[in-house]
Amino acid sequence: MNAISPSLAKMHGRKVTVHYGPKQALFDVDLDVPERMVTALIGPSGCGKSTFLRCLNRMNDVIDGCKVGGEITLDGQDIYDQKLDVVMLRARIGMVFQKPNPFPKSIYDNVAYGPRIHGMAGTKGELDEIVRSSLEKAGLWNEVKERLDQPGTGLSGGQQQRLCIARAIAVSPEVILMDEPCSALDPIATAKIEELIDELRENFTIVIVTHSMQQAARVSQKTAFFHLGHLIEWGDTEQIFTSPKDERTQGYITGRFG
Amino acid sequence: MSDTSTQGIRRPDLSDGRIRRRYAAERRFRFYGMFAVGLAIAMLAVLLVSVCSKGYSAFYRTEIGLDVVLDPAVITPDGKKDADTLANADYQGLVKDTLKNAFPEVTSRADRKLLYALVSNGAGDTIRQAVLSDPSVIGSTKRFWVVAADDIDMLKKGFIKRDVAEAERVVPDSQISWFDKLAANNQIKTTFNSTFLSAGDSREPEQAGVLGALMGSIFTMLVTVLLALPLGVMSAIYLEEFAPKNRLTEIIEVNINNLAAVPSIVFGLLGLAVLLGVFGLPRSAPLVGGMVLALMTLPTIIIATRAALKAVPPSIREAAYGIGASSLQVVTHHVLPLATPGIMTGAIIGLARALGESAPLLMIGMVAFIVDVPHGPTDPATVLPVQIYLWADSPERAFVEKTSAGIMVLLAFLISMNAIAIFVRRRFERRW
């Protein structure tokens, strides 16, 4: 495995295990997330890639009976430390979900919600600026600037997902986690999101779970392949897709199973 | 050869007969539904029509016009015109004198008594008010429209039939003849019955009003809402969103469900034993009634609120958590507003039941005969359903219309309460 130097890695996972009740979902996963790159997690359904993603911002805390073991660090700090405030952690690590889930509020309020609860804007003008720049970064501003007071749920699926991305980047997170963000979208909307991910890479560290190997190949610089709860192989995307070391990876990316 | 092909592959039966049967089944099913809805509407219509047709007459009353001589010798016997003297003068006596003078042919004591019984024994109040508001009228003769006695009112409204034999009739022939004479002189008229909406209960039907019970109901419901809604919603939120799922919370959940099925009179007994007996709270008070009804309503609200909270899609919670909202922020900013329509529906059901409840209130003394209109939740009071029961239990014919009119007031209260809840629900109704 081609380990990257610790200074480049934003997040480290060491011997991460996850149990859902009696069932173990992840086995000793060691994975580094390099800064300002897109890391793609691929693998067949139920392989634990989404579970691992949700460990990175402790979204598994919300699930009853879920136990996380091992160590995950953000900038060298253990995120499962008792003293660490999970709310602050999630402000630093944003998340975009599989199904677009805008709040049933206006487009403006969707984006402004995060900055509001984290006290990021002192005045209305500052808040307006955050909303505007977030929507611009998400490539949605030109489509919605005339109707910011309309409900976010009235947008199309692709627009809703970009609204969710705008909502996530409005709180200026350092890492953005994306859990199959395009699986509910049509190819055109998917292309837009992929383009967006490529642009966001300049400012954010991105981890994306995807079912589509083409998507992983298109957007990511690093790829990790999960199978049955184990991390089989990870490294540069090009290397994984052209010369995988493990035959299971080979089998998956060539479509023999999964 | 064709044998093998038909045996090998089973194809759907596309015959006309099957399609016809399916259509017929669907038509039948739709008919059952329409029949059920139609039946429900018809029942409701029958109920409303029968209540309203019996009760509307309570909203007007019969008045008798009398030219009363405001004799200073009766009103101010010692010549002083102070408020106390004016307030306590024998105005009923003036009314009786007027009647006596109008029918000089009535001489016997028994007949006079019947004659005086044409007017309500509250008739003097009309004159008292006029004199108190303007003492200068003393000495003059003025026409006053005084309230007729309830039996005369019933006669005028046609509920006491003239063709019934005198022995079986409450109003004797003599009273009918006097009434007819007054009517012939245009001394009988029908007006809006303001007393019904502005007075408390009374043994005299023409003086009985629904306001006392209405205020009692309002205070009781106020206490119930203020206790049951916050308590119920808070417990539901805690149980649903924050409490760990273990044995203890399971037992609590089962008990809440059981509590919803407890007969209401048991809550009344609890109120009697604990609230009145142990804590010594005032008897017959809306405060206690409201507390008892709140206990009764709590499980309904908790169950409805938990269902409403469960129905909020988890994606909304995840979205809020994902941006770094705290558990409290997730609940107050997102889950609760989205659950409000469901919570309001539960509250409507619970409170409507509490409003119509009488059994537990009997146990804590809200069935007492109370004339005064309550001014606060600790004043003795009764509530609309109990008042309706009390009137239904009274022998006077005039209370029949009061009973139905009381039901009309109760229904109006219920409808306005529901309207408020529906308004709140509409405001929070959002789609996602």
Side-chain angles (χ1 to χ4, degrees):
Chain A
M1 284 196 191
N2 53 345
I4 44 175
S5 65
S7 60
L8 276 173
K10 184 77 182 163
M11 299 188 81
H12 294 277
R14 287 289 169 269
K15 296 210 174 301
V16 178
T17 59
V18 174
H19 289 83
Y20 290 121
K23 187 176 167 284
Q24 186 161 8
L26 270 190
F27 302 85
D28 295 331
V29 173
D30 291 330
L31 183 66
D32 292 343
V33 177
E35 188 156 17
R36 285 170 210 264
M37 283 192 195
V38 179
T39 303
L41 311 182
I42 60 169
S45 293
C47 68
K49 55 192 191 302
S50 284
T51 300
F52 180 74
L53 188 79
R54 295 171 66 96
C55 287
L56 295 178
N57 69 343
R58 291 183 57 180
M59 279 301 274
N60 285 331
D61 289 15
V62 191
I63 299 169
D64 280 320
C66 178
K67 269 215 244 350
V68 180
E71 188 190 53
I72 299 174
T73 60
L74 172 67
D75 290 337
Q77 190 190 11
D78 182 7
I79 65 167
Y80 280 88
D81 191 335
Q82 291 289 321
K83 277 173 269 171
L84 183 118
D85 181 51
V86 68
V87 166
M88 296 322 295
L89 174 75
R90 293 197 191 121
R92 290 174 68 188
I93 305 178
M95 190 154 187
V96 176
F97 297 86
Q98 183 171 2
K99 207 177 130 227
N101 55 356
F103 298 130
K105 297 171 187 272
S106 71
I107 293 170
Y108 183 94
D109 285 339
N110 260 286
V111 183
Y113 180 69
R116 271 196 194 122
I117 61 170
H118 294 301
M120 289 170 64
T123 62
K124 179 86 171 73
E126 283 172 30
L127 193 60
D128 287 349
E129 188 44 46
I130 293 174
V131 171
R132 186 199 164 101
S133 70
S134 304
L135 285 169
E136 274 172 350
K137 279 185 213 152
L140 196 60
W141 175 252
N142 286 328
E143 291 162 58
V144 301
K145 63 183 171 190
E146 307 294 332
R147 46 176 177 148
L148 289 174
D149 55 341
Q150 305 266 310
T153 43
L155 298 171
S156 75
Q159 287 173 324
Q160 286 191 19
Q161 195 60 295
R162 277 181 284 151
L163 178 63
C164 292
I165 293 173
R167 183 176 65 186
I169 59 184
V171 290
S172 309
E174 296 154 43
V175 182
I176 301 176
L177 310 178
M178 297 186 175
D179 192 356
E180 298 179 40
C182 302
S183 65
L185 304 181
D186 65 61
I188 293 168
T190 302
K192 277 193 176 158
I193 301 269
E194 285 180 7
E195 213 173 284
L196 175 60
I197 291 170
D198 210 43
E199 284 166 22
L200 292 174
R201 177 161 64 92
E202 292 177 16
N203 297 309
F204 302 94
T205 302
I206 294 171
V207 184
I208 179 169
V209 165
T210 176
H211 260 130
S212 152
M213 279 165 294
Q214 291 86 341
Q215 185 172 62
R218 280 193 298 264
V219 301
S220 72
Q221 286 73 51
K222 299 280 176 184
T223 297
F225 172 65
F226 284 76
H227 186 53
L228 299 175
H230 294 273
L231 174 62
I232 305 301
E233 184 171 1
W234 75 280
D236 290 335
T237 300
E238 216 185 311
Q239 176 252 315
I240 296 282
F241 278 91
T242 52
S243 52
K245 295 192 179 91
D246 195 285
E247 61 183 72
R248 285 169 292 185
T249 317
Q250 171 91 36
Y252 183 69
I253 60 172
T254 52
R256 275 207 293 277
F257 73 95
Chain B
M1 288 304 281
S2 66
D3 274 351
T4 51
S5 63
T6 50
Q7 273 172 0
I9 308 161
R10 292 183 178 274
R11 295 198 177 282
D13 178 7
L14 300 174
S15 62
D16 285 351
R18 270 185 71 87
I19 293 173
R20 256 201 313 280
R21 276 202 300 283
R22 195 181 77 219
Y23 282 5
E26 278 176 17
R27 261 198 309 277
R28 253 193 332 270
F29 186 77
R30 212 172 300 168
F31 170 76
Y32 295 149
M34 270 154 51
F35 179 74
V37 171
L39 200 65
I41 290 176
M43 299 280 210
L44 189 68
V46 167
L47 177 86
L48 284 179
V49 167
S50 85
V51 166
C52 292
S53 64
K54 276 186 198 149
Y56 79 97
S57 56
F59 290 96
Y60 60 89
R61 66 179 174 199
T62 308
E63 291 183 351
I64 299 176
L66 295 175
D67 297 314
V68 180
V69 181
L70 297 167
D71 188 355
V74 176
I75 301 171
T76 55
D78 46 4
K80 284 186 287 184
K81 281 194 176 182
D82 57 297
D84 213 34
T85 317
L86 292 182
N88 292 316
D90 181 15
Y91 296 104
Q92 194 69 24
L94 284 177
V95 174
K96 287 177 182 172
D97 288 347
T98 312
L99 279 170
K100 190 167 70 183
N101 296 335
F103 296 95
E105 69 277 14
V106 181
T107 48
S108 80
R109 221 178 121 76
D111 282 350
R112 283 245 170 99
K113 232 180 143 182
L114 282 176
L115 177 64
Y116 299 154
L118 285 180
V119 296
S120 161
N121 58 18
D125 292 343
T126 317
I127 301 164
R128 177 182 294 120
Q129 271 160 22
V131 171
L132 280 175
S133 65
D134 180 15
S136 66
V137 295
I138 297 171
S140 65
T141 302
K142 275 194 77 172
R143 168 154 290 203
F144 287 100
W145 288 98
V146 298
V147 181
D150 57 302
D151 289 337
I152 301 305
D153 188 40
M154 289 296 104
L155 181 75
K156 172 77 169 66
K157 285 172 181 169
F159 295 129
I160 290 178
K161 299 271 187 293
R162 288 160 184 259
D163 49 14
V164 176
E166 191 180 7
E168 292 168 19
R169 196 183 330 121
V170 187
V171 184
D173 287 345
S174 54
Q175 279 190 324
I176 290 182
S177 69
W178 300 324
F179 173 80
D180 288 342
K181 197 177 163 198
L182 286 169
N185 286 339
N186 285 329
Q187 279 175 282
I188 302 287
K189 74 169 182 182
T190 305
T191 58
F192 177 69
N193 185 1
S194 56
T195 309
F196 183 68
L197 293 177
S198 62
D201 197 11
S202 170
R203 292 280 184 235
E204 304 296 334
E206 77 277 5
Q207 293 177 42
V210 81
L211 186 66
L214 182 64
M215 292 310 287
S217 270
I218 289 176
F219 286 129
T220 306
M221 291 321 288
L222 221 57
V223 173
T224 306
V225 171
L226 291 180
L227 282 177
L229 203 57
L231 278 180
V233 172
M234 290 308 284
S235 359
I237 289 175
Y238 179 75
L239 287 173
E240 195 59 43
E241 303 284 330
F242 297 104
K245 304 272 174 284
N246 56 25
R247 254 274 140 74
L248 183 69
T249 48
E250 247 169 58
I251 291 172
I252 291 174
E253 191 171 341
V254 169
N255 274 297
I256 288 171
N257 290 340
N258 282 341
L259 218 51
V262 169
S264 57
I265 195 148
V266 176
F267 288 101
L269 277 169
L270 178 86
L272 176 64
V274 177
L275 298 177
L276 298 186
V278 177
F279 294 109
L281 291 173
R283 207 163 278 274
S284 309
L287 177 69
V288 182
M291 287 163 87
V292 168
L293 293 181
L295 280 176
M296 198 192 82
T297 317
L298 256 181
T300 316
I301 292 185
I302 292 178
I303 292 168
T305 304
R306 292 190 68 173
L309 292 172
K310 269 200 194 104
V312 173
S315 65
I316 296 293
R317 278 172 238 259
E318 285 193 331
Y321 278 125
I323 312 178
S326 65
S327 310
L328 183 65
Q329 285 169 332
V330 171
V331 170
T332 53
H333 295 171
H334 300 285
V335 178
L336 204 50
L338 290 174
T340 301
I343 296 173
M344 290 320 288
T345 306
I348 294 173
I349 294 168
L351 293 176
R353 199 185 139 205
L355 178 65
E357 198 60 72
S358 54
L361 302 179
L362 305 184
M363 305 302 298
I364 55 154
M366 290 189 86
V367 72
F369 173 69
I370 289 149
V371 177
D372 293 323
V373 175
H375 293 290
T378 51
D379 290 350
T382 186
V383 292
L384 284 166
V386 176
Q387 182 70 76
I388 290 164
Y389 163 73
L390 286 173
W391 281 343
D393 213 26
S394 302
E396 286 88 350
R397 177 60 182 81
F399 276 125
V400 174
E401 60 174 26
K402 296 264 187 282
T403 305
S404 294
I407 296 172
M408 286 165 76
V409 173
L410 179 64
L411 287 178
F413 188 178
L414 191 71
I415 288 168
S416 42
M417 205 169 79
N418 287 0
I420 294 171
I422 288 168
F423 172 75
V424 174
R425 196 169 67 186
R426 278 279 161 77
R427 282 211 50 185
F428 280 94
E429 221 147 53
R430 289 198 179 101
R431 276 168 294 169
W432 55 79

